[in-house]
């Protein structure tokens, strides 16, 4: 019989499909260009992103099924924009529960209501809830239709036999059918928070672990409550601690509650303890006696840590293998997808010979900075949720007490949700553009904002795996000098597309794509006030340069910098 411990329990409502393990042939496995170790949400998204750029990928997964339990359940707008690029957004949108608000309570009184920004230009809601196994199935469907991704189940990497710059990597892989060696030009570790590849390299993370532990319990229950985040501070049945609630699809609710400091995970996951606490929470929200069934449960400890460098010779780290972030603010998988989207195009460019390995150094630079910024923010949330010392608890409790009578205290309850990182100090950003002269619009390093173009058409729908030059003009076409410069880069193998964003009529010669912006929506959101302004977007939809006017030499310098040439 399964004994209570910190290992997640298998969901009883999800129909798990066991995939056959790949058996190595007698002649061994041929070399691969890229091996991605770990077919969780981040590993699968990265494999699909590399395939979009024409790179074949070998994807190894130690298990023979998708992840057990709901695990990650809240996915942000930026994550959905990234998942749209790999084709998984429609299935997730159809199955998930969108939302944008949350309430925080103290001693039965609502003390803060959070409303995430959302307007008509956004294709996706600020957040959507869906259990991780369903999301992984959506990604698996895309992998099954992608001939450049080879998926191998039941493949456990047991040793790194070689990891050398300029030569490549060799892995020892254990399978139910025997052990084999796998060579690769590059290996990406997406094998999670307990990354065995990270341990094999002897790499240590920097940051902090927190003493506070939470039970994560998914229960099947019918509650007439909206889809939003609920936070309860110092509830009577769990004094001094915190409880969180989220609605999930298929009649499931997640309840996260903090444990007393002296309670072990084994005690917390006993059936008696789980029943008493969940009954108490349901009673507190006015649904005493409501019947429910346990679906899945685990114990979680908050950590805020990152590797100082995500590149170790020919081995790259991505997602939880690179950093461990607290769940408060939905930062885990959402941060990992941003890692993968940053890494995918850069690794593809290096493999194609379009850039040198220095481009991968920019991956580490940008994403380590992002992790450290997130850790700083998440640590504030974590210290509020689970005060690590008597001093922090006194301060937190003072804020809670004051919130009952002073509304200005409410914003201190804000959970600082995950957001797309702004690569303002990226080495890929242009140094001689006109960024400082724009009054509004996305600055260098920021992700491109979406704009609604029609009933079911958005600006971001038009952007694929390439650099994109947005040329804003009233009439006429793209200047011949810019057309010629773009063609020179294409001849070198660099994908570069020109999008004419025009506010007037007439032809738009020299553009690969034309967007009519007669209402000025795109011009307004990008802060464009004069004809001839331009934006240069990276393949991951981050701005790397913008100009009030552009000539061929400035474009060449910006592209040289953006590709680390």
């Amino acid at each position: 019989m399964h004994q209570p411990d910190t290992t997640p329990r298998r969901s009883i409502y999800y129909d798990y499909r066991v995939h056959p393990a790949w058996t190595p042939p007698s002649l061994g496995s041929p070399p691969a260009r890229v091996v991605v170790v770990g077919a969780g949400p981040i590993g699968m998204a990265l494999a699909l992103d590399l395939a979009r750029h024409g790179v074949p990928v070998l994807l190894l997964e130690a298990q023979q099924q998708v992840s057990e339990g709901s695990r990650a359940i809240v996915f942000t707008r930026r994550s959905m924009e990234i998942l749209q690029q790999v084709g998984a957004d429609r299935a997730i949108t159809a199955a998930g529960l969108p939302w944008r608000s949350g309430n925080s309570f103290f001693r039965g009184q609502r003390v803060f209501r959070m409303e995430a920004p959302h307007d008509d230009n956004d294709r996706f809601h600020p957040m959507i809830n869906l259990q991780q196994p369903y999301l992984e199935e959506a990604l698996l469907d895309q992998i099954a239709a992608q001939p450049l991704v080879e998926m191998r189940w039941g493949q456990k990497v047991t040793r790194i036999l070689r990891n050398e710059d300029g030569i490549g990597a060799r892995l020892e892989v254990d399978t139910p059918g025997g052990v084999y060696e796998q060579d690769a030009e590059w290996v990406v570790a997406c094998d999670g928070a307990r990354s065995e590849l990270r341990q094999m390299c002897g790499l240590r993370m920097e940051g902090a672990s927190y003493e506070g532990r939470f039970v994560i319990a998914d229960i099947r229950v019918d509650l007439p409550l909206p889809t939003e985040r609920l936070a309860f501070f110092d509830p009577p049945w769990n004094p001094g601690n915190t409880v969180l609630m989220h609605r999930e699809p298929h009649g499931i609710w997640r309840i996260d509650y903090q444990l007393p400091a002296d309670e072990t995970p084994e005690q917390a996951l006993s059936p008696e303890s789980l029943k008493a606490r969940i009954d108490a929470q349901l009673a507190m929200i006015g649904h005493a006696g409501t019947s429910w069934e346990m679906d899945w449960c685990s114990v979680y400890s908050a950590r805020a840590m990152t590797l100082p460098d995500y590149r170790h010779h020919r081995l790259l780290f991505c997602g939880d293998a690179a950093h461990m972030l607290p769940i408060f603010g939905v930062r885990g998988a959402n941060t990992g997808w941003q890692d993968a989207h940053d890494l995918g195009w850069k690794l593809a460019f290096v493999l194609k010979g379009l850039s040198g390995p220095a481009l991968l150094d920019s991956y580490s630079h940008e994403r380590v900075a992002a992790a450290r910024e997130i850790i700083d923010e998440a640590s504030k949330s974590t210290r509020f949720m689970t005060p690590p010392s008597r001093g922090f608890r006194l301060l937190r409790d003072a804020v809670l007490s004051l919130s009952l009578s002073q509304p200005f205290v409410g914003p201190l309850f804000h959970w600082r949700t995950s957001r797309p990182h702004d690569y303002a100090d990226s080495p890929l950003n242009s140094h001689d553009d006109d960024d400082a002269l724009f009054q509004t619009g996305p600055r260098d390093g920021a992700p491109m904002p979406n704009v609604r173009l029609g009933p079911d058409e958005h600006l971001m729908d038009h952007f694929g795996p390439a650099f994109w030059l947005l040329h804003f003009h009233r009439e006429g076409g793209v200047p011949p000098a810019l057309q010629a410069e773009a063609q020179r880069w294409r001849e070198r193998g660099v994908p570069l597309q020109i999008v004419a964003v025009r506010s007037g009529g007439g032809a738009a010669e020299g553009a690969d794509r034309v967007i009519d912006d007669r209402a000025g929506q795109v011009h307004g959101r990008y802060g464009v006030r004069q004809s001839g302004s331009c934006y240069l977007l990276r393949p991951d939809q981050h701005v790397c340069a913008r100009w009030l006017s552009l000539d061929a030499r400035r474009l060449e310098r910006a592209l040289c910098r953006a590709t680390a040439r």
Side-chain angles (χ1 to χ4, degrees):
M1 179 180 293
H2 181 78
Q3 296 299 315
D5 58 19
T6 57
T7 303
R9 297 183 180 182
R10 187 183 185 93
S11 168
I12 62 174
Y13 290 107
Y14 183 81
D15 184 17
Y16 287 95
R17 178 161 52 106
V18 177
H19 300 270
W22 185 84
T23 301
S26 58
L27 297 178
S29 177
R33 302 217 69 188
V34 180
V35 170
V36 174
V37 180
I42 310 309
M44 284 194 280
L46 175 61
L48 288 167
D49 209 8
L50 285 164
R52 282 200 317 142
H53 289 275
V55 175
V57 181
L58 176 58
L59 185 56
L60 305 181
E61 171 55 45
Q63 303 301 317
Q64 292 178 240
Q65 61 177 47
V66 297
S67 63
E68 291 191 0
S70 64
R71 296 181 181 261
I73 62 165
V74 183
F75 309 118
T76 65
R77 176 186 293 130
R78 180 56 185 155
S79 293
M80 292 303 298
E81 290 171 349
I82 292 170
L83 292 168
Q84 180 187 12
Q85 299 299 309
V86 299
D89 60 305
R90 292 189 180 275
I92 295 167
T93 301
L97 300 176
W99 61 282
R100 59 171 298 198
S101 61
N103 291 308
S104 296
F105 299 87
F106 175 54
R107 294 178 181 170
Q109 178 176 319
R110 190 175 77 179
V111 292
F112 179 66
R113 179 169 176 80
M114 180 272 295
E115 293 280 353
H118 182 67
D119 64 38
D120 190 54
N121 282 309
D122 296 313
R123 176 177 283 283
F124 303 105
H125 280 73
M127 269 79 68
I128 187 168
N129 288 0
L130 181 66
Q131 295 93 320
Q132 185 170 319
Y134 295 99
L135 181 138
E136 291 186 12
E137 290 286 358
L139 289 167
L140 276 176
D141 288 343
Q142 296 302 311
I143 285 175
Q146 176 50 263
L148 288 178
V149 179
E150 180 185 355
M151 177 77 188
R152 295 181 185 174
W153 298 94
Q155 313 292 297
K156 181 177 176 60
V157 176
T158 51
R159 280 199 298 167
I160 300 173
L161 302 174
R162 185 177 68 217
N163 179 22
E164 301 177 50
D165 290 325
I167 298 176
R170 176 174 294 166
L171 306 175
E172 181 182 84
V173 186
D174 189 15
T175 79
V179 177
Y180 69 97
E181 295 180 0
Q182 179 65 56
D183 286 335
E185 293 181 48
W186 292 90
V187 173
V188 186
C190 295
D191 54 340
R194 298 179 182 178
S195 172
E196 294 187 354
L197 272 72
R198 186 180 67 230
Q199 296 175 39
M200 292 174 195
C201 294
L203 301 178
R204 297 179 64 85
M205 289 189 171
E206 302 172 348
S209 296
Y210 296 90
E211 293 300 321
R213 288 174 298 181
F214 275 73
V215 166
I216 301 176
D218 281 359
I219 63 171
R220 192 175 184 89
V221 63
D222 184 16
L223 295 177
L225 300 174
T227 303
E228 59 184 15
R229 173 198 185 256
L230 302 174
F232 303 87
F233 295 92
D234 194 26
W237 68 267
N238 197 8
N241 294 324
T242 307
V243 181
L244 305 173
M245 290 186 69
H246 276 285
R247 178 191 288 276
E248 302 174 34
H250 311 292
I252 303 294
W253 277 83
R254 170 171 290 186
I255 303 177
D256 302 344
Y257 56 87
Q258 189 180 356
L259 296 176
D262 59 351
E263 185 167 348
T264 67
E266 289 75 17
Q267 293 170 330
L269 293 181
S270 69
E272 298 78 15
S273 174
L274 289 166
K275 183 178 188 312
R277 282 159 164 163
I278 292 171
D279 283 346
Q281 176 63 17
L282 294 177
M284 189 185 73
I285 63 174
H287 295 278
T290 301
S291 62
W292 57 270
E293 295 178 86
M294 178 62 67
D295 180 51
W296 176 79
C297 60
S298 182
V299 171
Y300 167 82
S301 295
R303 295 181 180 180
M305 310 178 78
T306 180
L307 288 172
D309 192 335
Y310 293 172
R311 180 184 170 202
H312 183 65
H313 303 298
R314 285 302 181 106
L315 177 59
L316 299 153
F317 291 89
C318 190
D320 287 351
H323 45 68
M324 290 183 281
L325 305 172
I327 59 172
F328 315 120
V330 297
R331 292 179 172 88
N334 293 296
T335 301
W337 280 315
Q338 292 183 53
D339 293 343
H341 205 40
D342 186 293
L343 175 58
W345 74 271
K346 294 174 180 177
L347 184 53
F349 270 50
V350 171
L351 284 161
K352 293 178 179 181
L354 303 177
S355 300
L359 188 61
L360 294 174
D361 293 336
S362 76
Y363 161 67
S364 188
H365 176 97
E366 292 174 355
R367 296 312 301 165
V368 170
R372 286 175 172 157
E373 180 180 296
I374 292 165
I375 285 169
D376 181 59
E377 289 191 353
S379 295
K380 297 173 185 176
S381 300
T382 303
R383 288 193 294 268
F384 196 83
M385 295 285 190
T386 61
S389 67
R390 183 173 180 273
F392 276 111
R393 181 169 290 278
L394 287 172
L395 181 62
R396 197 279 298 268
D397 291 349
V399 170
L400 289 171
S401 297
L402 194 59
S403 68
L404 293 174
S405 59
Q406 302 297 325
F408 78 89
V409 178
L412 294 176
F413 289 82
H414 198 290
W415 54 318
R416 299 178 179 87
T417 184
S418 170
R419 66 175 189 274
H421 190 68
D422 187 334
Y423 304 137
D425 67 342
S426 171
L428 306 186
N429 292 345
S430 179
H431 278 194
D432 65 348
D433 66 351
D434 301 328
D435 184 51
L437 301 180
F438 280 76
Q439 296 181 8
T440 59
R443 66 176 184 172
D444 288 357
M448 64 174 288
N450 216 350
V451 182
R452 181 180 290 278
L453 302 176
D456 192 35
E457 180 188 10
H458 288 73
L459 181 64
M460 203 173 286
D461 300 347
H462 296 277
F463 290 77
F467 277 92
W468 295 85
L469 180 65
L470 273 61
H471 187 270
F472 291 82
H473 59 267
R474 177 166 180 77
E475 55 188 18
V478 178
L482 294 182
Q483 297 179 43
E485 183 62 26
Q487 182 59 30
R488 279 193 289 270
W489 281 89
R490 294 189 194 107
E491 290 170 356
R492 298 171 187 170
V494 174
L496 174 61
Q497 300 287 303
I498 300 178
V499 177
V501 185
R502 60 183 186 181
S503 58
E509 295 179 2
D512 300 289
R513 195 160 297 175
V514 179
I515 293 175
D516 285 315
D517 189 36
R518 295 178 185 274
Q521 285 279 85
V522 185
H523 280 70
R525 203 155 199 197
Y526 281 75
V528 173
R529 297 187 175 186
Q530 66 184 60
S531 183
S533 297
C534 294
Y535 272 79
L536 182 62
L537 304 175
R538 305 180 342 182
D540 59 357
Q541 298 93 42
H542 281 260
V543 176
C544 56
R546 58 180 180 167
W547 304 270
L548 296 179
S549 63
L550 178 63
D551 59 38
R553 294 193 64 183
R554 298 181 88 188
L555 177 59
E556 180 184 25
R557 288 197 297 271
L559 283 165
C560 283
R561 190 166 189 90
T563 54
R565 296 171 76 95

